[in-house]
Amino acid sequence: MRTYLDFEKPIADLEARLEETKKLAQTSNVDVSEAVNILEQSIDKLRREIFQNLTRWQRVQLSRHPDRPYTLDYISLMCDQFIELHGDRTVRDDPAMVGGFCELGDQTVMIIGQQKGRNTKQRQYRNFGMPNPEGYRKALRLMKLAEKFNKPIITLIDTPGAFPGLEAEERGQGEAIARNLKEMFMLTVPVICIVIGEGASGGALGIAIGDKVLMLENTWYSVISPENCSTILWRSWDFKEQAAEAMKLTARDMKSNKLVDEIVEEPLGGAHNDHQGMANHLKEVILNTIAQLSALDPQERINQRIDKFCEMGVVVE
C-alpha cells in the first residue's frame, strides 16, 4: 500500500478512481481505455501542479516519506557489487551508519551513509538513523581506508541528528563529529556528499565535508528541525510550518545561499515514486562529479574544499 501525505490526497483520490476503472475492465467487457487515458492525464497534470508549488514544510514532509529510498536502497540500486564493512575498532558496530566498497559503473568507490528502518523492529535496530559516536568513528575509519587505496568517497546523508543519549555523550559524541570535520578537510581523494533525506545538525555535518555537497530536490539541511525550532520560539510544535519558512532549509535555499553546490532533481512526485529512476539519475550525477574532481591535483582539491567552507557565512562590506 502506498502512503500519501496530506497534500497528496487529491492525487490519491484520482488514483483510487483509476484502479476502480481498471478493475471494471477486468470484470466486464466494457471498453474503458478512454476513461483510463483521461484519468492518467488528470493525475499527471495534478501531480505537476502540486509538486511545482510545494511549501518548505511540504518538502520537509517529503524528505521523511516512509516510502523514500534510504542509503541501502540506493546502494542496491546503483552498485553492481557492495562489500559492507563493520565496526569502529574501538567499541562496536553502529547499524545506523553503513558503509563499504562498491562498484559504481566502472568505478570503485567507498560509499557511507546513515540508514533508517522501514518498520518498528528495523527502526529500533538502526536507532531511527541516529548514529552513536562509534558510527562516526566507523565512517572515518572507512574514509581513511578509501584514502589508502586511492578510491573516491561518497556519503549519503539522511538523519534527524546524531543520537543525543547520555551514553553517546559519555563515549564522546561531540569529539567524534569534530574529528570527522577536521579529517575530512584533509582527505586526498575526491569526496562527494549528498543529502538524500533529512540533513539535521552536526549529525549530518559529521559526514558532509566534501569537495561537492549535493542535495536531492525534496530534502532539507539545517542546524535544527522545524518542530524543534517552533518549540524553542513558540513553546509549541504548532508553528512548525512558519518555522520552516523562516529557516529557509530546502535545497533551493541552500543553493541560493551557496551552502551546497548542486541540486539533484527527483522524479515527478518525489523519489519515493520511482526508486530506480532516482537511483539511475543519482548514479549518473555521481560518476560525472567524480570525473570532474579526479582531474584536479589532490592538494588543489583540498585547498578548494577548505576555501569553500571558510567562505560560508562571511559578510564582506
Side-chain angles (χ1 to χ4, degrees):
M1 293 292 293
R2 282 190 54 188
T3 303
Y4 292 93
L5 300 174
D6 291 342
F7 60 88
E8 292 182 297
K9 288 297 171 62
I11 299 173
D13 294 340
L14 283 179
E15 289 188 340
R17 287 173 56 188
L18 178 63
E19 286 300 315
E20 291 174 2
T21 305
K22 288 180 177 179
K23 286 179 182 178
L24 177 64
Q26 293 173 354
T27 56
S28 67
N29 294 324
V30 179
D31 182 12
V32 295
S33 57
E34 185 176 352
V36 167
N37 186 45
I38 291 172
L39 280 171
E40 287 176 341
Q41 289 179 3
S42 299
I43 291 169
D44 184 71
K45 181 182 178 182
L46 181 59
R47 184 174 281 122
R48 289 183 187 278
E49 289 175 356
I50 290 174
F51 280 84
Q52 284 175 356
N53 299 285
L54 292 174
T55 66
R56 290 181 173 90
W57 172 244
Q58 287 170 340
R59 292 194 189 276
V60 171
Q61 289 179 289
L62 280 172
S63 75
R64 299 167 175 169
H65 199 290
D67 300 332
R68 194 173 178 86
Y70 297 147
T71 293
L72 288 176
D73 297 317
Y74 282 111
I75 289 173
S76 66
L77 293 170
M78 294 192 303
C79 302
D80 299 320
Q81 188 176 1
F82 175 60
I83 302 173
E84 186 173 358
L85 302 173
H86 299 271
D88 69 336
R89 301 297 185 264
T90 304
V91 179
R92 66 180 178 93
D93 185 49
D94 186 354
M97 187 80 76
V98 298
F101 284 113
C102 78
E103 290 182 5
L104 201 65
D106 58 355
Q107 178 77 55
T108 301
V109 303
M110 175 65 75
I111 191 163
I112 302 164
Q114 288 121 349
Q115 175 66 26
K116 296 178 178 177
R118 293 285 177 201
N119 53 44
T120 302
K121 188 174 181 179
Q122 288 179 3
R123 290 181 187 121
Q124 289 178 331
Y125 176 66
R126 301 288 181 184
N127 201 32
F128 299 87
M130 296 186 293
N132 278 275
E134 46 270 27
Y136 292 100
R137 292 183 177 119
K138 174 170 75 171
L140 182 58
R141 182 177 76 81
L142 300 188
M143 292 178 200
K144 289 292 187 181
L145 191 62
E147 184 179 44
K148 178 180 179 180
F149 293 108
N150 195 32
K151 302 300 180 184
I153 298 167
I154 313 298
T155 68
L156 302 180
I157 299 148
D158 187 12
T159 180
F163 184 56
L166 177 62
E167 61 272 30
E169 298 298 338
E170 289 174 340
R171 293 196 301 274
Q173 184 75 287
E175 186 276 340
I177 293 173
R179 183 172 295 276
N180 278 24
L181 303 186
K182 172 181 176 292
E183 297 291 343
M184 288 186 76
F185 275 115
M186 305 310 295
L187 291 168
T188 58
V189 295
V191 184
I192 303 168
C193 308
I194 308 160
V195 182
I196 61 170
E198 297 185 271
S201 193
L205 196 59
I207 57 169
I209 304 297
D211 302 297
K212 294 290 183 181
V213 180
L214 317 180
M215 288 182 71
L216 268 58
E217 187 178 0
N218 297 310
T219 61
W220 64 275
Y221 194 17
S222 177
V223 71
I224 194 172
S225 70
E227 295 94 328
N228 288 333
C229 177
S230 174
T231 301
I232 292 171
L233 295 180
W234 290 284
R235 302 292 189 268
S236 168
W237 279 27
D238 296 338
F239 299 92
K240 54 186 178 291
E241 295 182 38
Q242 292 95 312
E245 289 297 319
M247 290 165 67
K248 294 181 170 51
L249 40 57
T250 65
R252 289 180 183 176
D253 296 321
M254 294 293 107
K255 180 71 163 58
S256 65
N257 289 326
K258 299 182 180 179
L259 298 174
V260 301
D261 301 292
E262 188 177 334
I263 299 172
V264 182
E265 289 187 3
E266 297 185 18
L268 180 63
H272 61 280
N273 265 341
D274 186 0
H275 285 205
Q276 188 64 65
M278 183 70 251
N280 291 342
H281 180 47
L282 186 59
K283 179 179 179 179
E284 181 183 357
V285 170
I286 290 172
L287 290 174
N288 289 339
T289 308
I290 289 174
Q292 295 170 14
L293 295 174
S294 298
L296 300 175
D297 177 76
Q299 189 58 52
E300 185 181 356
R301 272 200 308 268
I302 292 172
N303 292 340
Q304 289 184 5
R305 194 183 305 158
I306 292 172
D307 291 341
K308 179 177 71 173
F309 282 89
C310 285
E311 287 173 2
M312 292 181 184
V314 175
V315 177
V316 180
E317 293 184 359

